[in-house]
């Protein structure tokens, strides 16, 4: 019988992991994360603890060690199968051993095995990884310490998958987090999704600061940090000295260079939006989408938020573009057999289908709908833009990324990770391989503003024709290590890695010239860098560069026609040389000095990670008329079948958000009609609105001007969500060339009790 005061798992077994302490060190755009995990065997028999946990997808794990008493065992990177064999042999013979390995299916899932802890024994495990910090839409750098690992859906026909996860809704271990930031740029502020102690600056220039997570945090959700610098768009070049023990000419022995490129888009470019394109929205409808967005009482269901977002997207598209919507789970279906021209009729038909969307399609298989989409021919002069919404719980991440990469020249991919535990490998990977942009909707984030930001990116001109040229003295050569960059959007940053080979007896500096085009205008940035960097650097840039090369090699290995065995050998060699993890290597540490072997049968305990608790809810429907309609459903076999929606329909419920109520009434052309539903949004009766109408103005013009005034006067804080709706409305008003427009705006202000100018409305 387990004592009720002990820490136990959901199966009433003692949990050997007691606490996690994390030290985060940020240097400009990159971070080093050191996590210390404290284990205690409180049972009466020898113990093996297995902990499957999430890490950021692009993390480079570079250190793994264990301390038992006064003895420290530092693990080495070895070929994965060899490391597994050594671990199994050690544990079976009663030796203490430690194994850390990356999942072969998804680079954001790791498995830690702690073998042969004697009864009462304590072990302290330290894992260090380094990572590039991602850029947010408001120029913040985001760090996420993932706590939630959602079980990845694996079809019954597949034996593959990420390791089995033991999960619990209440996590029995605690987290402490300390943060140190050093930057060449001035630090403006640091914010978090979790309570923090006050930020403490350690220098007068505000380039060095520390902060701690408030004590007592229960590690049941992701910890997000947002770091703001004053001059975030300033390009930079940082050189790091190589390791003195590594051979000259190797990646780890030579100096490494990191260039940060984060273009700032001028206002005229920001306002320049395309009116053409094919927009395909792919929505996860698996059972996991029936979870709440966060733990708060007012949280929407994920699928409900997705429906609201689709309403905004459909109302925001430009007339004459093409669009389609896919839902996927264990199978998939599309609203139309192929993308259709955006018009009033097709928009209304799609909205009727959206309101009946539920999380009712079983598991999560995204590969088949993507294959079907890519098999469809593209429309000339209408660039394909793919928007993918998922909570990221898939099993074949690498196969999905390979598919997206193969079609990178025919589309751009914008991906959205919904809720805690969305796979960073899948979400960031699809956007990276599809030359798009990734967004994560976590905590109390609303989905709509982030999605509309990405729609703006899709419609705006992008940075392209990117080239990098080097100016170095004779005897010095620079080799690019990063893959070529095709495009950069507003809000995207690129980190470029290079290796500096050779030596110069004379000049001690080099230069790099980065050129690109933005809306056909050439832009040039030239940066100076030293050829004699300081020695004690920690090899952060080298290891991130090695991780970048390894990821490129892993993609090459899976490509058709590749010499897989030779590429695998190169991955293992670089992984061992750099001391960073890969899909083909693992960290192995064995306590060979342990005098006494552990005897007796070995217990195995799986340490739980946080999971989302699924709470079912009746699907919310959009407020609009719905007629019974026949539609096409695309099964995974790609056979076309007809199905009747009538049995699935739920009675429409009023939209709670006034902005969504207003948007739902807008026509595809951008105008509103004068009726009681519109008047109700303004808190008026239809007679009140009609009686105040300017005499010379048409009813639709009057209604549209009122809608614009109301949005700008009362909902300016949500402008990122309704910006395209307003643009369409203003364009429609201008096209009508109405008389007495100034009087119309004046009368509208009087009716709604506000003061908005024509210039503000854009009419």
């Amino acid at each position: 019988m387990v004592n009720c005061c002990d820490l136990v798992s959901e199966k009433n077994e003692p949990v050997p992991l007691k606490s996690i302490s994390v030290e985060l060190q940020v240097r400009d755009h990159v971070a080093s994360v050191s996590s210390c995990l404290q284990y205690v065997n409180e049972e009466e028999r020898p113990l093996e603890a297995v902990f499957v946990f999430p890490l950021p997808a692009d993390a480079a794990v570079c250190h793994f060690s264990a301390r038992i008493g006064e003895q420290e065992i530092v693990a080495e990177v070895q070929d994965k199968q060899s490391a597994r064999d050594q671990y199994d042999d050690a544990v079976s013979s009663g030796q203490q051993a430690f194994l850390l390995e990356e999942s072969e299916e998804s680079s954001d899932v790791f498995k830690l095995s702690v073998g042969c802890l004697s009864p009462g024994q304590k072990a302290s495990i330290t894992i260090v990884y380094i990572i590039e910090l991602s850029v947010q839409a408001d120029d913040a750098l985001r760090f996420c310490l993932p706590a939630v690992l959602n079980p990845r859906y694996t079809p019954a026909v597949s034996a593959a998958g990420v390791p089995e996860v033991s999960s619990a809704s209440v996590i029995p271990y605690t987290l402490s987090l300390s943060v140190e930031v050093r930057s060449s740029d001035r630090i403006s502020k640091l914010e978090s999704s979790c309570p923090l102690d006050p930020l403490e600056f350690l220098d007068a220039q505000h380039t060095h600061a520390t902060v701690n997570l408030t004590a007592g945090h229960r590690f049941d959700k992701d910890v997000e940090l947002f770091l703001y610098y004053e001059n975030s768009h300033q390009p930079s070049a940082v050189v790091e000295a190589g390791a003195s023990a590594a051979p000259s000419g190797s990646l780890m022995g030579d100096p490494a260079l990191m260039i940060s490129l984060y273009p700032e888009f001028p206002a005229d470019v920001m306002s320049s939006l395309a009116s053409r394109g094919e927009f395909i929205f792919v929505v996860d409808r698996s059972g996991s989408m029936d979870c709440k967005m966060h733990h708060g009482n007012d949280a929407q269901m994920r699928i409900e938020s997705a429906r609201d977002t689709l309403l905004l997207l459909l109302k925001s598209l430009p007339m004459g573009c093409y669009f389609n919507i896919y839902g996927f789970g264990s199978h998939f279906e599309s609203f139309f057999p192929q993308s259709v021209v955006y018009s009033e009729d097709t928009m209304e038909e799609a909205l009727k289908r959206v309101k009946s969307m539920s999380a009712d399609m079983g598991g999560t298989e995204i590969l088949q709908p993507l294959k079907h989409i890519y098999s469809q021919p593209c429309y000339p002069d209408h660039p394909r833009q793919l928007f993918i919404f998922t909570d990221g719980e898939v099993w074949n991440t690498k196969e999905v990324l390979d598919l997206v990469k193969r079609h990178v020249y025919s589309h751009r991919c914008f991906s959205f990770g919904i809720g805690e535990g969305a796979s960073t490998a899948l979400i960031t990977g699809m956007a990276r391989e599809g030359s798009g942009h990734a967004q994560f909707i976590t905590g109390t984030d609303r989905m709509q503003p982030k999605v509309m930001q990405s729609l703006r990116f899709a419609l705006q001109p992008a940075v392209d024709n990117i080239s990098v040229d080097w100016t170095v003295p004779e005897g010095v050569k620079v080799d690019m290590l990063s893959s070529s960059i095709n495009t950069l959007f507003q809000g995207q940053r690129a980190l470029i890695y290079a290796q500096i080979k050779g030596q110069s007896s004379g000049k001690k500096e080099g230069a790099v010239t980065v050129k690109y085009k933005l809306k056909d205008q050439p832009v040039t940035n030239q940066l100076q860098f030293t050829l004699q960097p300081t020695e004690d650097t920690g090899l952060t840039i080298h290891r991130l560069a090695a991780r970048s090369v390894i990821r490129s090699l892993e993609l090459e290995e899976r490509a058709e026609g590749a010499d897989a065995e030779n590429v695998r050998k190169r991955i293992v060699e670089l992984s061992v040389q750099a001391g960073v993890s890969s899909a083909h290597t693992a960290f192995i540490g064995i306590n060979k000095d342990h005098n006494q072997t552990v005897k007796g049968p070995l217990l195995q305990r799986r340490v739980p990670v946080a999971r989302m608790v699924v709470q079912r809810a009746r699907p919310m429907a959009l407020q609009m008329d719905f007629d019974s309609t026949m539609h096409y459903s695309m099964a995974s076999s790609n056979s076309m079948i007809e199905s009747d929606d009538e049995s699935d329909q739920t009675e429409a419920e009023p939209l709670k958000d006034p902005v969504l109520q207003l948007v739902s009434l807008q026509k595809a052309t951008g105008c509103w009609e004068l009726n009681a539903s519109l008047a109700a949004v303004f808190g008026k009766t239809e007679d009140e609105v009609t009686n105040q109408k300017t005499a010379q103005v048409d009813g639709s013009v009057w209604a549209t001007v009122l809608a614009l005034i109301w949005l700008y006067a009362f909902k300016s804080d949500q402008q990122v969500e309704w910006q395209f709706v307003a643009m369409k409305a203003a364009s429609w008003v201008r096209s009508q060339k109405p008389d007495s427009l100034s009087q119309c705006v004046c009368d509208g202000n009087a009716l709604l009790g506000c003061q908005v100018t024509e210039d503000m409305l854009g009419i």
Side-chain angles (χ1 to χ4, degrees):
M1 181 69 181
V2 178
N3 188 297
C4 64
C5 295
D6 290 339
L7 300 175
V8 296
S9 72
E10 61 184 1
K11 295 181 179 179
N12 210 36
E13 297 167 341
V15 174
L17 178 60
K18 301 304 179 185
S19 66
I20 301 176
S21 60
V22 178
E23 293 181 0
L24 171 65
Q25 293 186 325
V26 178
R27 299 292 184 272
D28 293 316
H29 295 272
V30 300
S32 173
V33 187
S34 176
S35 298
C36 185
L37 296 82
Q38 301 289 343
Y39 287 85
V40 180
N41 181 8
E42 297 178 333
E43 304 194 49
E44 297 176 355
R45 289 161 58 185
L47 176 72
E48 179 187 29
V50 179
F51 186 26
V52 178
F53 60 97
L55 283 180
D58 295 322
V61 178
C62 57
H63 176 86
F64 174 43
S65 62
R67 177 173 291 277
I68 300 176
E70 297 301 316
Q71 187 173 12
E72 184 178 26
I73 302 101
V74 178
E76 299 176 345
V77 179
Q78 296 187 14
D79 177 88
K80 181 178 285 187
Q81 191 55 54
S82 173
R84 286 173 173 172
D85 292 343
Q86 291 180 59
Y87 176 82
D88 290 341
D89 290 345
V91 171
S92 62
S93 62
Q95 287 183 295
Q96 291 171 332
F98 309 88
L99 180 70
L100 179 68
E101 53 186 318
E102 175 185 317
S103 164
E104 294 178 3
E105 296 298 331
S106 187
S107 61
D108 62 344
V109 180
F110 280 75
K111 179 181 177 182
L112 169 61
S113 302
V114 180
C116 281
L117 284 182
S118 302
Q121 195 167 46
K122 298 179 180 180
S124 176
I125 308 295
T126 299
I127 300 170
V128 179
Y129 66 87
I130 49 181
I131 189 170
E132 302 173 357
L133 298 178
S134 61
V135 180
Q136 304 302 287
D138 61 354
D139 297 336
L141 294 178
R142 175 182 181 263
F143 169 75
C144 179
L145 187 65
V148 178
L149 176 59
N150 291 333
R152 307 294 163 87
Y153 173 75
T154 306
V157 296
S158 172
V162 298
E164 180 187 346
V165 180
S166 176
S167 60
S169 56
V170 178
I171 293 304
Y173 43 86
T174 57
L175 171 74
S176 64
L177 172 66
S178 64
V179 182
E180 181 184 17
V181 182
R182 291 181 185 268
S183 172
S184 55
D185 193 6
R186 188 179 175 89
I187 302 164
S188 295
K189 60 181 177 178
L190 193 150
E191 298 176 344
S192 176
S193 60
C194 301
L196 295 177
D197 293 341
L199 183 67
E200 181 180 354
F201 287 102
L202 303 182
D203 66 348
Q205 294 76 33
H206 284 201
T207 60
H208 187 194
T210 61
V211 71
N212 294 321
L213 188 68
T214 301
H217 178 74
R218 186 64 67 182
F219 198 19
D220 58 351
K221 65 177 181 178
D222 293 354
V223 177
E224 291 182 293
L225 298 174
F226 300 94
L227 175 62
Y228 295 82
Y229 293 137
E230 282 196 357
N231 301 300
S232 56
H233 289 282
Q234 186 70 32
S236 63
V238 180
V239 180
E240 182 179 79
S244 57
S248 178
S250 67
L251 189 154
M252 300 305 291
D254 287 338
L257 173 67
M258 180 180 73
I259 302 169
S260 172
L261 181 63
Y262 184 35
E264 187 167 14
F265 283 44
D268 62 323
V269 174
M270 294 281 286
S271 61
S272 175
L273 301 176
S275 59
R276 293 172 175 267
E278 179 192 12
F279 300 90
I280 301 177
F281 307 112
V282 184
V283 182
D284 190 340
R285 291 178 54 186
S286 63
S288 56
M289 287 290 287
D290 213 10
C291 290
K292 285 188 172 184
M293 292 289 292
H294 56 85
H295 300 298
N297 294 329
D298 59 342
Q300 278 188 307
M301 294 297 172
R302 295 176 184 176
I303 192 66
E304 183 181 352
S305 184
R307 286 197 298 265
D308 288 351
T309 303
L310 284 173
L311 165 65
L312 268 178
L313 284 167
L314 286 171
K315 294 289 187 174
S316 299
L317 293 178
M319 288 291 288
C321 72
Y322 288 80
F323 81 101
N324 203 351
I325 298 176
Y326 284 71
F328 71 93
S330 302
H331 60 286
F332 71 92
E333 62 181 35
S334 60
F335 281 19
F336 306 99
Q338 60 189 40
S339 294
V340 295
V341 175
Y342 179 76
S343 66
E344 184 67 31
D345 289 341
T346 55
M347 181 195 74
E348 285 297 331
E349 184 176 349
L351 286 171
K352 290 176 181 178
R353 295 286 306 281
V354 164
K355 84 170 190 177
S356 64
M357 286 177 61
S358 300
D360 57 359
M361 295 183 71
T364 310
E365 293 189 51
I366 195 173
L367 194 64
Q368 293 306 317
L370 288 179
K371 285 182 176 179
H372 181 264
I373 290 167
Y374 294 141
S375 72
Q376 301 275 329
C378 295
Y379 292 94
D381 300 323
H382 286 272
R384 177 171 286 171
Q385 314 272 13
L386 199 58
F387 287 69
I388 300 177
F389 304 84
T390 179
D391 52 16
E393 300 171 15
V394 303
W395 61 280
N396 52 350
T397 300
K398 293 180 180 179
E399 194 175 355
V400 172
L401 300 188
D402 291 346
L403 179 65
V404 174
K405 185 177 179 64
R406 286 201 298 271
H407 295 274
V408 63
Y409 296 110
S410 65
H411 83 301
R412 292 190 298 188
C413 182
F414 297 84
S415 53
F416 304 90
I418 303 171
E420 308 282 358
S423 168
T424 58
L426 179 71
I427 304 305
T428 60
M430 285 191 296
R432 180 182 64 247
E433 304 304 342
S435 295
H437 191 262
Q439 300 259 29
F440 288 88
I441 300 103
T442 58
T444 57
D445 289 346
R446 295 181 69 248
M447 189 184 301
Q448 291 84 350
K450 293 199 171 185
V451 173
M452 301 314 288
Q453 286 167 356
S454 290
L455 179 60
R456 176 173 276 279
F457 296 159
L459 293 172
Q460 282 175 343
V463 166
D464 56 15
N465 292 344
I466 302 170
S467 66
V468 179
D469 298 310
W470 307 94
T471 303
V472 290
E474 187 175 350
V476 177
K477 178 185 176 185
V478 178
D479 282 353
M480 287 278 289
L481 299 174
S482 301
S483 302
S484 58
I485 304 167
N486 298 317
T487 55
L488 278 176
F489 300 106
Q490 162 69 12
Q492 274 191 307
R493 179 214 56 207
L495 293 181
I496 302 169
Y497 298 100
Q499 179 180 349
I500 302 175
K501 296 183 175 181
Q503 289 185 337
S504 170
S505 57
K507 197 175 178 183
K508 305 302 181 186
E509 281 196 342
V512 57
T513 303
V514 182
K515 297 180 180 179
Y516 56 85
K517 283 190 175 181
L518 179 57
K519 203 181 177 183
D520 296 326
Q521 295 298 312
V523 179
T524 300
N525 287 299
Q526 189 173 68
L527 303 169
Q528 306 293 321
F529 57 88
T530 180
L531 295 174
Q532 293 183 326
T534 54
E535 293 299 326
D536 186 18
T537 56
L539 298 176
T540 299
I541 294 175
H542 282 78
R543 286 175 171 139
L544 285 172
R547 182 64 163 166
S548 176
V549 174
I550 288 170
R551 284 288 176 248
S552 297
L553 288 172
E554 288 173 348
L555 282 170
E556 181 183 333
E557 179 191 18
R558 299 193 299 271
E560 292 183 14
D563 184 355
E565 187 56 37
N566 183 50
V567 176
R568 184 188 184 282
K569 183 179 178 182
R570 290 167 59 195
I571 292 171
V572 172
E573 287 178 352
L574 181 55
S575 177
V576 171
Q577 179 196 129
V580 298
S581 58
S582 75
H584 298 306
T585 54
F587 283 87
I588 175 69
I590 299 174
N591 187 2
K592 297 178 182 178
D593 297 328
H594 193 48
N595 293 327
Q596 285 187 322
T597 57
V598 179
K599 294 183 172 59
L602 194 64
L603 295 173
Q604 188 182 77
R605 293 289 182 254
R606 292 189 176 274
V607 179
V609 294
R611 64 175 168 83
M612 298 300 294
V613 180
V614 176
Q615 300 185 39
R616 302 290 176 184
R618 184 164 64 92
M620 191 189 82
L622 301 181
Q623 184 185 27
M624 56 187 69
D625 293 332
F626 192 99
D627 298 322
S628 175
T629 183
M630 302 293 288
H631 70 272
Y632 292 103
S633 174
M634 194 71 68
S636 56
S637 63
N638 289 350
S639 59
M640 197 76 74
I641 59 173
E642 285 189 341
S643 63
D644 195 327
D645 260 340
E646 191 169 16
S647 61
D648 297 326
Q649 295 164 19
T650 57
E651 185 179 346
E653 297 176 5
L655 289 162
K656 299 173 183 177
D657 187 337
V659 171
L660 290 179
Q661 289 182 28
L662 181 71
V663 169
S664 70
L665 299 171
Q666 189 186 34
K667 299 296 183 181
T669 56
C671 72
W672 276 268
E673 292 182 348
L674 185 57
N675 55 37
S677 297
L678 180 66
V681 175
F682 306 144
K684 307 288 183 183
T685 66
E686 185 175 4
D687 286 343
E688 286 178 302
V689 174
T690 303
N691 292 339
Q692 292 294 318
K693 183 177 76 71
T694 307
Q696 297 88 348
V697 171
D698 174 76
S700 293
V701 172
W702 170 240
T704 304
V705 169
L706 285 177
L708 284 170
I709 291 173
W710 185 84
L711 286 171
Y712 280 98
F714 301 109
K715 298 298 174 182
S716 59
D717 58 329
Q718 293 178 245
Q719 186 168 354
V720 69
E721 299 178 39
W722 50 259
Q723 56 183 317
F724 297 108
V725 166
M727 287 180 190
K728 285 173 69 174
S731 177
W732 180 85
V733 170
R734 291 194 302 269
S735 71
Q736 302 304 299
K737 298 182 173 60
D739 295 328
S740 306
L741 185 57
S742 297
Q743 185 61 46
C744 182
V745 174
C746 182
D747 292 341
N749 278 321
L751 176 66
L752 298 179
C754 44
Q755 295 179 332
V756 179
T757 65
E758 287 180 60
D759 289 342
M760 188 182 298
L761 300 179
I763 57 176

